[in-house]
Amino acid sequence: MLLSDEGHCICVPQACLVHTTETIRVRYFMDRLLERRRPVMLVGNAGTGKSVLVGDKLASLDPEKYAIKNVPFNYYTTSAMLQ
């Protein structure tokens, strides 16, 4: 919980990543693929942490070397919306 200077609670939306053996394994392979400049695609059911894992990796990259832009997709996203 964050508190303001006046002692009021400030709610900050965020994703919390609790590492498990599976997330460590996936992160290892993501790191190896990215080191070799290979594409990465995570596939899984809703709520398995794919977006959080990718967001965590992107946040760890050097902003001097990488420009990152988040473009959210969902079932209703069409190609026309991206143009």
Side-chain angles (χ1 to χ4, degrees):
M1 174 172 53
L2 296 176
L3 297 177
S4 67
D5 292 337
E6 296 82 28
H8 297 105
C9 176
I10 302 171
C11 295
V12 179
Q14 60 184 356
C16 180
L17 179 60
V18 177
H19 288 285
T20 63
T21 54
E22 186 64 21
T23 60
I24 292 169
R25 184 179 300 123
V26 170
R27 179 66 184 262
Y28 171 82
F29 285 111
M30 284 175 57
D31 290 344
R32 300 295 80 78
L33 288 167
L34 292 172
E35 284 173 3
R36 291 165 179 78
R37 302 183 57 83
R38 297 289 193 204
V40 176
M41 181 171 76
L42 300 181
V43 179
N45 294 331
T48 57
K50 300 176 298 289
S51 297
V52 176
L53 270 171
V54 171
D56 182 59
K57 178 60 184 173
L58 293 176
S60 73
L61 297 175
D62 181 7
E64 296 293 323
K65 294 171 78 176
Y66 298 93
I68 298 166
K69 180 66 178 164
N70 185 22
V71 181
F73 286 85
N74 62 34
Y75 177 79
Y76 302 104
T77 307
T78 66
S79 58
M81 292 175 171
L82 300 174
Q83 298 179 13

